[in-house]
Amino acid sequence: MSAILQYFADFTMVKAIDMAGLVLGLVYLWLEFKASIWLWLVSVIMPIVHGYLYWERGLYADFGMEVYYVLAAVYGYAMWRWARNRDGGVGGEEVERPISHFPLRRVLPVALVGLALWALIYWILITFTDSSVPLCDSFTTSLSMVAMWALAQKYAEQWLLWLVVDLVCTVLYVYKQIPFTACLYAFYTVMAVLGYRQWLRKIPASQTA
């Protein structure tokens, strides 16, 4: 209890941003769980909040990731809004892009791209920054980039990718002393399991047959 009181007694801008990120993260998670297209709007706002936080704590790869998140949010919105189901709806009408499984033919190429990103980001961190956690920072950043792409494609398995990211980030943010964000990612870890189950139920029967 005394540690909590001390935390608020020494209140700083970083801690305020940490708390704001927690609120935005919970809103984003709820929208993602519901497969609501409005999650992409929150995806534009959150990088501003988290970007400042990560820079202050020396998580440079995570900071750079926020720029990618903004671009991915625009791409994701476009994919969900305009990349319609090819078969259309009743009477041939267009329907919203459906949730689907991650195609097996894409697993290997996407995995190779993810590994290449990890290696590249790790090299950048150890060469141009003073990051104290280059291996973990580059890993979560590269896997997040892949997971964000999978989310834009509306693949149910994107939740499994986020599950790994969230587990590692929870430990990393505790180490970096940003507790609210760490708690948020711990909650994300649990919700990734529930979200995966929820999205599986939303996959059209024609795709699971």
Side-chain angles (χ1 to χ4, degrees):
M1 184 57 134
S2 59
I4 296 176
L5 293 176
Q6 180 60 38
Y7 181 85
F8 284 101
D10 186 27
F11 202 73
T12 63
M13 177 61 72
V14 170
K15 292 176 181 178
I17 293 294
D18 190 18
M19 294 175 65
L22 172 62
V23 174
L24 285 171
L26 291 175
V27 172
Y28 173 86
L29 183 61
W30 181 78
L31 292 172
E32 184 181 6
F33 186 80
K34 304 295 289 185
S36 170
I37 196 171
W38 291 106
L39 72 90
W40 297 112
L41 174 61
V42 181
S43 290
V44 173
I45 300 173
M46 279 204 306
I48 300 173
V49 173
H50 285 148
Y52 174 85
L53 184 64
Y54 296 150
W55 181 266
E56 286 294 315
R57 283 297 182 258
L59 296 167
Y60 302 117
D62 281 347
F63 171 80
M65 183 69 187
E66 301 311 302
V67 177
Y68 170 78
Y69 276 153
V70 172
L71 298 176
V74 175
Y75 171 73
Y77 178 82
M79 290 296 294
W80 283 34
R81 177 66 178 83
W82 291 297
R84 303 294 188 170
N85 184 1
R86 294 177 181 177
D87 298 329
V90 178
E93 65 185 36
E94 289 187 337
V95 295
E96 185 177 317
R97 183 186 184 92
I99 295 172
S100 61
H101 283 296
F102 200 112
L104 290 178
R105 70 180 184 278
R106 289 189 169 181
V107 171
L108 181 58
V110 170
L112 292 176
V113 169
L115 288 172
L117 286 170
W118 185 8
L120 175 61
I121 296 169
Y122 176 76
W123 176 79
I124 292 173
L125 289 178
I126 63 174
T127 304
F128 300 105
T129 78
D130 59 352
S131 175
S132 60
V133 286
L135 191 65
C136 287
D137 199 6
S138 58
F139 172 73
T140 56
T141 300
S142 58
L143 189 55
S144 294
M145 294 176 75
V146 174
M148 198 69 172
W149 172 82
L151 172 60
Q153 302 302 315
K154 224 168 183 178
Y155 295 146
E157 286 72 22
Q158 58 94 12
W159 285 105
L160 300 181
L161 299 176
W162 288 120
L163 175 62
V164 177
V165 171
D166 298 337
L167 277 170
V168 177
C169 282
T170 299
V171 178
L172 182 60
Y173 296 155
V174 168
Y175 174 73
K176 282 295 184 176
Q177 299 180 8
I178 42 179
F180 283 101
T181 302
C183 289
L184 175 63
Y185 275 79
F187 183 63
Y188 276 176
T189 301
V190 176
M191 292 305 297
V193 177
L194 300 179
Y196 179 55
R197 295 176 60 184
Q198 172 75 1
W199 274 38
L200 286 179
R201 289 194 288 267
K202 291 177 177 288
I203 295 178
S206 59
Q207 294 189 29
T208 58

